[in-house]
Amino acid sequence: MLRWMRVLVALGLASAQAVTSFLGWGPVVLASLLLVLALGYGWPRLTDSPQRWTTTLMLMLFGLLGMASSWLAKAPPFLEWLPVLTAMGLLWAFVQNLARGIEARHAVANVSAQVAGLVVTLSACSWIAAIRLPGDRSIIVVGLVGIILAQCATALPLPARVTSPLALVMGVAGAMLAFAVVPADDPRLFVIVPYGMVMGGLVVALDRLLGMIAVAPYQAGSLRQNAVRSKARQWGVQLSLGAAPIAMAGVVVYVLERIPGMV
């Protein structure tokens, strides 16, 4: 049952993005804020960081700064400040781990985990930029439905060699189903199939990569020594596994919205 928590998290966050995408980019900011908060809390627990709350502060702070930069930018592409924030976050990660001492264990793993979490968190800001671009909002619903069905496939208690191809198929099926139901301004069926495959592949890749991290407490020792911390980490892991595909999907939607005539 624990594996289905990530599906519920993804469903809630995807629903928020889908609904607010038709209400304007102001409400989308609130939906993106939920993504940032979920990743900020969940990512340090997914990666078993020895500096959980400091890393949470870092991810939430830079996520909010990224949202503000995308919100306040006056002209496309609306994401010009994200590389600067990424560089500043990288510097923060180095300083934070240097503060642990020169003999701190797994410093490279911690820096890598923080930088990866920063990239995923800042990806949520692309939702704001995507909504500010002119385009067909129905493509957002199409992609999110594909992600949810692909998430359901990866949550099945089956080997990865079964769930991974199934997730790709479900991603395409979900996109096509949503395409048939949601009215589109300029429907292009030849875009929907690869679009669904990309969304399904995104879910598969993150499930495989992050899932391996979730079952490998390599940094802070055995979690069984502290039942409270173990439970908090379980919730954090599921938050990250559910929120990460939704955040990364914003990049795909943004790219589609930037390509004239595609959607």
Side-chain angles (χ1 to χ4, degrees):
M1 288 298 295
L2 189 63
R3 291 176 61 86
W4 289 96
M5 287 172 55
R6 72 191 67 173
V7 178
L8 295 177
V9 170
L11 179 60
L13 294 173
S15 299
Q17 291 291 350
V19 171
T20 56
S21 64
F22 292 95
L23 301 178
W25 56 272
V28 169
V29 173
L30 298 178
S32 300
L33 177 61
L34 292 177
L35 270 175
V36 169
L37 294 178
L39 289 167
Y41 177 82
W43 192 269
R45 287 146 186 89
L46 171 70
T47 57
D48 201 15
S49 172
Q51 299 171 301
R52 297 184 302 282
W53 288 110
T54 307
T55 304
T56 292
L57 174 63
M58 173 248 199
L59 294 178
M60 289 186 178
L61 175 61
F62 280 95
L64 292 175
L65 290 175
M67 289 174 55
S69 67
S70 301
W71 189 1
L72 298 176
K74 296 181 179 180
F78 306 121
L79 299 176
E80 54 266 26
W81 281 98
L82 293 192
V84 177
L85 292 174
T86 303
M88 293 174 62
L90 177 61
L91 179 61
W92 176 309
F94 276 113
V95 172
Q96 178 180 327
N97 281 275
L98 284 173
R100 297 175 58 212
I102 196 65
E103 297 182 357
R105 300 180 60 188
H106 306 294
V108 174
N110 282 314
V111 171
S112 301
Q114 283 182 272
V115 174
L118 177 66
V119 171
V120 174
T121 302
L122 289 177
S123 297
C125 304
S126 57
W127 280 107
I128 301 174
I131 295 301
R132 296 189 65 188
L133 294 171
D136 184 7
R137 301 302 178 229
S138 62
I139 199 69
I140 295 175
V141 179
V142 170
L144 291 175
V145 171
I147 282 183
I148 296 303
L149 293 186
Q151 279 272 44
C152 291
T154 59
L156 294 173
L158 298 172
R161 64 178 180 274
V162 176
T163 59
S164 295
L166 181 60
L168 291 175
V169 173
M170 294 300 289
V172 175
M176 295 186 68
L177 175 63
F179 173 77
V181 174
V182 179
D185 296 338
D186 186 18
R188 301 287 178 87
L189 181 59
F190 71 90
V191 176
I192 300 304
V193 174
Y195 183 38
M197 290 189 66
V198 169
M199 290 304 195
L202 184 65
V203 171
V204 171
L206 290 175
D207 177 73
R208 295 294 296 148
L209 292 173
L210 302 185
M212 288 188 291
I213 297 175
V215 297
Y218 57 88
Q219 294 178 10
S222 175
L223 295 175
R224 296 179 182 178
Q225 297 176 1
N226 190 329
V228 175
R229 180 168 173 240
S230 179
K231 188 174 182 179
R233 184 179 186 236
Q234 289 177 356
W235 280 95
V237 166
Q238 300 308 315
L239 276 176
S240 294
L241 293 177
I246 307 301
M248 296 297 292
V251 179
V252 181
V253 172
Y254 176 81
V255 171
L256 285 180
E257 296 284 12
R258 286 281 288 173
I259 300 177
M262 286 290 288
V263 293

